[in-house]
């Protein structure tokens, strides 16, 4: 039996229009799942020339995850949901997160929306005995210079993973997360496109390279698969050894 065969399964990836979320969405699709993705732009065509975005074969819908009323009022176009991947993310640079407005904005997208989505799809996941995979960050276990809201939100995502994993285990819902290290996406360009900064970061990674979105997608597939059937409330750090 192929434990990574998701044929007949329905997957929703919030933040699935680009980066890690998009890689995960395509990985599920390639393994037989029907995959829906949420993004911030009006339609899939708006991502046609976006680096790191491939919406081929995916069902795209616009959703502002910071609009909790919109999440609550969402009418799913699918009758069943087996896997919910929460990969939405926001980071503000130039000390924007030290301002209350910026701090709140990042917390709403990176943390509060996780609970809003989990609450929304809880009934469907209970019915399917499905699972949630949250994309946190290695920032959950270390300080991040200049980004207090991002750090707090990712640390909060770890706490949410543990608490929901415990709360919903008896109802057949598993909740896990992964904590990526430095992965080349549009959110990390401030580092990856800055040679000196990138060199400094790579020196702190025992594997001496960036992670890839496909490597993160592989971890998500594992956590969502039957191979992880006895794992809940856990976070897998996928950072090349950076936090060792």
């Amino acid at each position: 039996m192929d434990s990574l065969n998701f044929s007949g399964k329905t997957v929703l990836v919030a933040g699935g229009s680009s980066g890690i979320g998009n890689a995960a969405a395509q990985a599920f699709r390639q393994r037989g799942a029907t995959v829906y993705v949420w993004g911030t732009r009006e339609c899939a065509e708006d991502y046609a020339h976006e680096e790191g975005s491939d919406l081929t074969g995916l069902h795209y819908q616009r959703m502002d995850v910071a609009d909790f009323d919109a999440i609550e009022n969402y009418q799913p176009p699918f009758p069943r949901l087996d896997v919910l991947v929460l990969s939405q993310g926001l980071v503000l640079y130039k000390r924007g997160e030290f301002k209350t407005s910026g701090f709140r904005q990042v917390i709403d997208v990176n943390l509060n929306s996780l609970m809003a989505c989990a609450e929304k799809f809880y009934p469907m996941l209970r019915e399917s005995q499905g699972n949630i995979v949250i994309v946190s960050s290695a920032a959950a276990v270390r300080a991040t210079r200049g980004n207090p809201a991002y750090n707090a939100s990712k640390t909060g995502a770890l706490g949410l993973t543990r608490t929901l994993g415990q709360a919903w285990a008896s109802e057949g819902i598993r909740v896990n997360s992964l904590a990526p290290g430095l992965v080349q996406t549009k959110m990390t360009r401030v580092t990856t496109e800055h040679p000196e900064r990138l060199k400094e970061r790579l020196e702190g990674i025992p594997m001496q390279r960036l992670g890839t979105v496909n490597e993160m997608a592989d971890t998500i597939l594992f956590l969502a698969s039957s191979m992880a059937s006895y794992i809940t409330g856990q976070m897998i750090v996928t950072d090349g050894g950076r936090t060792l």
Side-chain angles (χ1 to χ4, degrees):
M1 179 179 177
D2 183 1
S3 298
L4 292 177
N5 183 352
F6 288 89
S7 296
K9 304 292 187 181
T10 301
V11 178
L12 171 62
V13 183
S17 57
S18 63
I20 293 172
N22 187 242
Q26 286 295 351
F28 279 111
R29 183 186 70 82
Q30 290 162 11
R31 288 161 178 80
T34 300
V35 184
Y36 292 80
V37 299
W38 285 354
T40 58
R41 300 183 187 179
E42 194 63 37
C43 60
E45 289 72 23
D46 291 339
Y47 292 92
H49 304 293
E50 181 77 14
E51 182 182 353
S53 179
D54 177 10
L55 297 177
T56 305
L58 306 176
H59 301 276
Y60 177 82
Q61 294 180 299
R62 182 185 179 279
M63 175 62 73
D64 176 3
V65 295
D67 185 344
F68 307 132
D69 288 336
I71 293 174
E72 183 178 355
N73 295 325
Y74 176 71
Q75 298 298 316
F78 39 86
R80 173 189 176 97
L81 182 64
D82 299 281
V83 181
L84 175 62
V85 179
L86 299 177
S87 186
Q88 58 264 49
L90 175 67
V91 62
L92 300 179
Y93 295 109
K94 299 181 179 179
R95 299 186 67 81
E97 295 180 13
F98 285 88
K99 299 177 181 178
T100 300
S101 58
F103 191 93
R104 183 182 293 118
Q105 181 185 5
V106 172
I107 293 293
D108 276 348
V109 171
N110 292 5
L111 179 58
N112 292 339
S113 73
L114 302 180
M115 188 62 204
C117 291
E119 179 186 14
K120 172 66 181 180
F121 294 106
Y122 162 74
M124 297 183 79
L125 293 169
R126 181 180 58 185
E127 183 176 349
S128 68
Q129 301 288 277
N131 66 86
I132 300 173
V133 181
I134 294 171
V135 179
S136 179
S137 167
V141 294
R142 64 190 301 274
T144 48
R145 185 184 309 164
N147 295 103
Y150 184 83
N151 192 287
S153 66
K154 295 303 184 178
T155 303
L158 171 56
L160 190 63
T161 298
R162 290 170 171 164
T163 303
L164 293 184
Q166 180 187 57
W168 292 349
S170 63
E171 300 183 73
I173 303 173
R174 294 187 300 107
V175 184
N176 292 293
S177 63
L178 74 154
L182 188 58
V183 177
Q184 189 154 9
T185 67
K186 64 182 181 182
M187 282 185 64
T188 61
R189 285 174 183 166
V190 67
T191 295
T192 60
E193 294 183 357
H194 190 293
E196 291 184 5
R197 189 175 298 161
L198 178 59
K199 181 176 181 293
E200 178 186 354
R201 294 292 182 86
L202 290 177
E203 288 174 350
I205 300 173
M207 294 183 72
Q208 299 183 353
R209 66 174 178 85
L210 301 175
T212 70
V213 293
N214 290 330
E215 287 173 321
M216 304 306 117
D218 286 344
T219 304
I220 292 172
L221 287 175
F222 165 70
L223 288 171
S225 78
S226 61
M227 290 189 291
S229 60
Y230 200 52
I231 300 175
T232 196
Q234 303 301 311
M235 181 178 74
I236 296 179
V237 179
T238 47
D239 69 345
R242 186 182 177 197
T243 53
L244 295 176

